[in-house]
Amino acid sequence: MLRELGRNIDKARIWLKPKPEKLRFVNWYLEHGCDLGCYFCKVPKQKTKNMDPQQRNEALAKLWLLSQDNAVLSILGGETTLKPDNLIGAVQDASKAGFFVDVITNGWGLTEELIQQLSEAGLSYLAYSIDSYPNSPKKDLEKAMRLLSVAKDFGIIPVVNTVLTNGTNLDDFRTLARTVIENGIFLSPLVCSPEVPGGLFSSASPSDTPSREQLKEIVPWLAFKKLTTGRVATTFSYLWTLFNLKEDSKGITQSWHCASNFRGVDGKKKGRGYLTLDSDGFAGPCQEFPRQVNLLNISPDQLSLQLLDPLFRDTSVKCPGCTYNCYIQEESISGLSTVAEFPNAIQLVNVFRRKS
C-alpha cells in the first residue's frame, strides 16, 4: 500500500519539481485537421503532413533525450480523435518512450470504447475542451461529464478546458465550473491569447483577451475553488500572473513574455522547459512557432537544448507575448510555490490509485 502511494505521489510531483537543463513539457500537434471552427483558433487552416509510425518514434526518442523523467507530452491538434487508430498509436508510442501523456479533444469523436483503448495505451490525462456559453452549439456538458467520469474510472485525470474571452459571461463561467467540480472533474480555465504575427495557433484579436476587470473578479474565485476543492488544474502561479496583468492605454490586457532561453542554459536557474513538436517532425519554442528545425534531420548525438536554444531565441525575443497557461505555469513552478499545489496533488493521487 505504501509503495503504491509512493509511486502515485511521484507521478503527481512531475509538475512540481523541475530539473535544470531538461524539458518538463512537450506539445505535439498530432494533426492539424479539425471538425470545429472556433473563431480564436487558426490551427485547422494549416496543411502539414503527418509523421508515419517510424518517424514519430524517432522524434519521440530524440525528445526524450532532452526531457526529465515523466515529462508531460500533450497531444493536441486540430482534433485528436478524428483518426482514432492514429491517436491510440501515438499515445502508446509516447507512453513507451517514457512520457506522461495528455490528450486534448473537443469531445465530439470521443467514446467510452476509445477512452478504454487510450487508457490501455498509457494515457494519463484527458482534457475535454468545452464552451461556458450555455447556448453554444459546441457544448454538450452532459456528454462531457459522462465521458470524463468514465476516464476517471480508468485512472485517467479528467479535465475540462474552457477558454475565457472578453465576451465570456462570468456567471455562465461559474455555473460551468461548479458543475465540473461537483462531478469530481478538474477544471482548467485558459485565458484567450491574441494572435501573434507569424504565429500558427491563435487568430483572436487583442480585444478578445479578458479585461483586467474580468480577471480581477474571477481569479480570486478560482483560487478559492482550487484551495478548497483541489480541482482547479491551473497553478496558483498562473492565476497570480493573470491577476497582475496590466492594461495598455487603450484598455487592452497586456501579454506575458516567456524567457528567451531554455531552463538552466548559461547557468541560469530559470527559463523555458517547454518545446512544441509539429505533426511532421519540425520543432519550435511553442505552439505558435513549431517550425524552426526538423528533429528528424538531427542525429541523436548532436541534439541538445544548447543546440536548439540559439535557433529558437530570436523567435522568442521577437514574440510580443501571450496569455497561454503553458509557459507561465512551466516557468513559475519552483521553490515554495509548489506547496500551494498540495490540494491538487491529493486529488491527482486519488485518480491515479484507480489505475493502480
Side-chain angles (χ1 to χ4, degrees), residues 77-313:
E79 172 47 37
T80 52
T81 62
L82 287 181
K83 300 176 182 176
D85 290 341
N86 188 43
L87 175 60
I88 294 167
V91 170
Q92 188 171 46
D93 291 344
S95 179
K96 286 183 177 179
F99 289 101
F100 179 98
V101 187
D102 163 14
V103 163
I104 300 174
T105 174
N106 62 34
W108 296 110
L110 200 60
T111 64
E112 293 186 17
E113 180 183 8
L114 179 55
I115 291 172
Q116 180 176 356
Q117 291 172 317
L118 291 171
S119 174
E120 293 168 353
L123 183 65
S124 295
Y125 185 111
L126 181 63
Y128 194 126
S129 298
I130 198 165
D131 197 336
S132 63
Y133 175 55
N135 297 321
S136 171
K138 302 166 186 173
K139 176 179 178 179
D140 189 338
L141 186 56
E142 182 178 347
K143 177 184 177 183
M145 294 298 93
R146 175 174 59 82
L147 291 177
L148 287 174
S149 294
V150 171
K152 184 168 63 172
D153 289 340
F154 280 108
I156 298 170
I157 299 170
V159 182
V160 164
N161 284 347
T162 191
V163 177
L164 283 159
T165 72
N166 190 275
T168 298
N169 181 293
L170 295 185
D171 288 335
D172 293 339
F173 173 83
R174 290 188 187 94
T175 298
L176 173 75
R178 291 190 189 100
T179 301
V180 170
I181 291 170
E182 289 169 3
N183 276 273
I185 309 300
F186 293 84
L187 176 77
S188 180
L190 311 171
V191 168
C192 182
S193 190
E195 183 174 10
V196 174
L200 298 179
F201 191 85
S202 175
S203 59
S205 69
S207 61
D208 290 320
T209 305
S211 67
R212 189 167 182 264
E213 182 180 351
Q214 285 176 299
L215 294 175
K216 288 287 187 181
E217 179 178 346
I218 200 61
V219 167
W221 187 86
L222 286 169
F224 177 76
K225 287 295 182 181
K226 179 178 176 67
L227 181 65
T228 55
T229 70
R231 291 200 174 95
V232 175
T234 47
T235 65
F236 273 112
S237 296
Y238 178 57
L239 295 175
W240 180 246
T241 299
L242 296 179
F243 187 77
N244 287 289
L245 289 177
K246 307 298 183 184
E247 288 184 350
D248 62 18
S249 59
K250 297 180 181 179
I252 302 297
T253 303
Q254 294 181 324
S255 294
W256 176 89
H257 291 261
C258 66
S260 60
N261 61 280
F262 278 114
R263 184 184 299 281
V265 173
D266 298 328
K268 298 177 181 178
K269 293 184 179 180
K270 287 195 173 182
R272 302 191 313 271
Y274 217 101
L275 181 147
T276 294
L277 176 68
D278 210 346
S279 62
D280 59 354
F282 275 84
C286 75
Q287 61 192 19
E288 289 286 1
F289 305 106
R291 307 195 58 75
Q292 305 291 302
V293 60
N294 197 322
L295 293 184
L296 301 177
N297 295 335
I298 304 176
S299 63
D301 59 326
Q302 293 179 328
L303 185 62
S304 67
L305 294 185
Q306 287 79 4
L307 169 70
L308 297 178
D309 204 26
L311 300 176
F312 295 170
R313 185 177 293 124

Side-chain angles (χ1 to χ4, degrees), residues 2-3 22 62 92-93 97 107 136 167 196 204 254 307 332 335 340 342-343 352:
L2 290 177
R3 185 179 299 175
K22 289 289 186 179
K62 289 178 177 178
Q92 188 171 46
D93 291 344
S136 171
V196 174
Q254 294 181 324
L307 169 70
S332 60
F342 190 68
F352 288 136

Side-chain angles (χ1 to χ4, degrees), residues 321-343:
C322 69
T323 50
Y324 297 130
N325 68 325
C326 47
Y327 269 130
I328 297 175
Q329 292 195 161
E330 194 281 324
E331 288 190 30
S332 60
I333 295 181
S334 62
L336 291 176
S337 67
T338 61
V339 176
E341 303 306 315
F342 190 68

